[in-house]
Amino acid sequence: MKQCPKCDYVRTWKDDHVSHEICPSCGIAYNKWLLLQESKLAGGKGQDKDDTAGFRETVVDLLLSVPERVPADVLLGRGIVYFVFLLWGLSFIFSGIDWVKVGGSFMHNINLPFHEFGHVLFSPFGTFMMFLGGSLFQIILPFIVLGAFVKKGDNFAASIMLWWGGQNFIDVSPYIADAKSRALPLIFGAGEEAHDWGNLLSMMGAVDSARFLAVTSFGIGAVLMTGSFIWGGYILNKQRQNIQE
């Protein structure tokens, strides 16, 4: 299939990194889209169910697609990266809500500038959103990049972005847990009045829920990281089958 039956995009050699069954432009699975159109023309029963199933299968195909050929050295490099992030992620998960582990990690220094930018980005929407914007933006950003990698057809890189998204949920969990005591050190010598989650939960009258929210954030992060291990491992195994000597 050289031309997409939906958007008319014509494949070129630059699209070899995307599975030949997937349109690099609109992301449909060619054969399944054609079958879906035939089903629509036939006017059969259960069309809504077919549409839903077709969309779900297209999304799954998009998330699990790999290049037709993968150089052996590239696969080796990705395997090393995978195991580094696997061990690193497990160290976060098994450490629990520990500010010393989270706040002293290299990743915290990566997340911090995006956290601070989030305050600036959301400040026009009021005080509440200004305080929330830091944690919100650092959590959202990895998923924006994840979507870009999926669109590009690099699902292994996308799985690493899922890892980063999970790590950000873990990163904010000690901050949430500290809302009541406001004991954590803040940057630039800021005082207790600048504590994001202390202010947020006080504004909502939910300071006593700080621990529950922190555990929830940590749990979401652990689940997302585990998902990244499964997704990345599956992608590497499929790429191993397409190895190019």
Side-chain angles (χ1 to χ4, degrees):
M1 181 72 69
K2 297 296 184 181
Q3 184 174 13
C4 176
K6 180 181 179 183
C7 69
D8 296 326
Y9 177 80
V10 179
R11 297 183 68 100
T12 68
W13 63 270
K14 295 180 180 179
D15 300 315
D16 285 347
H17 64 285
V18 180
S19 170
H20 286 196
E21 300 298 322
I22 303 292
C23 174
S25 178
C26 67
I28 66 162
Y30 296 130
N31 291 336
K32 290 179 180 178
W33 189 86
L34 289 172
L35 289 173
L36 186 59
Q37 300 313 303
E38 291 176 2
S39 176
K40 287 181 178 179
L41 291 175
K45 296 181 180 179
Q47 188 61 55
D48 290 341
K49 183 182 294 185
D50 289 342
D51 289 347
T52 302
F55 174 77
R56 182 171 60 251
E57 290 175 358
T58 298
V59 170
V60 170
D61 287 341
L62 186 63
L63 294 177
L64 299 182
S65 66
V66 297
E68 291 295 315
R69 293 183 179 85
V70 180
D73 57 340
V74 171
L75 183 62
L76 175 61
R78 289 176 177 173
I80 294 172
V81 169
Y82 175 81
F83 280 106
V84 168
F85 277 87
L86 173 64
L87 296 176
W88 199 6
L90 289 175
S91 73
F92 281 114
I93 293 172
F94 289 121
S95 294
I97 305 175
D98 182 354
W99 169 249
V100 175
K101 170 66 178 179
V102 173
S105 73
F106 172 75
M107 284 306 302
H108 182 68
N109 294 326
I110 296 295
N111 298 330
L112 186 58
F114 298 115
H115 178 99
E116 296 305 318
F117 176 74
H119 289 310
V120 177
L121 181 65
F122 286 93
S123 60
F125 303 101
T127 303
F128 183 88
M129 287 304 300
M130 184 273 292
F131 281 122
L132 180 62
S135 298
L136 183 61
F137 185 72
Q138 76 173 85
I139 285 172
I140 289 175
L141 180 62
F143 295 97
I144 295 175
V145 183
L146 183 155
F149 277 123
V150 168
K151 182 174 177 58
K152 186 181 177 182
D154 191 345
N155 283 320
F156 178 73
S159 73
I160 299 298
M161 292 303 99
L162 182 62
W163 183 97
W164 186 22
Q167 198 279 329
N168 269 293
F169 272 100
I170 290 176
D171 187 79
V172 301
S173 62
Y175 201 8
I176 300 172
D178 187 58
K180 194 169 186 178
S181 62
R182 303 194 185 198
L184 291 182
L186 304 180
I187 65 170
F188 308 129
E192 293 182 6
E193 70 281 355
H195 195 292
D196 294 348
W197 285 95
N199 286 303
L200 287 167
L201 297 185
S202 293
M203 294 167 73
M204 294 188 295
V207 173
D208 290 337
S209 299
R211 186 67 188 178
F212 170 77
L213 293 174
V215 171
T216 300
S217 181
F218 181 88
I220 293 172
V223 168
L224 291 176
M225 276 190 162
T226 302
S228 76
F229 304 152
I230 297 171
W231 188 15
Y234 181 84
I235 292 298
L236 284 181
N237 185 56
K238 286 189 69 176
Q239 291 181 347
R240 182 184 61 80
Q241 298 170 8
N242 294 347
I243 195 168
Q244 176 183 353
E245 299 293 347

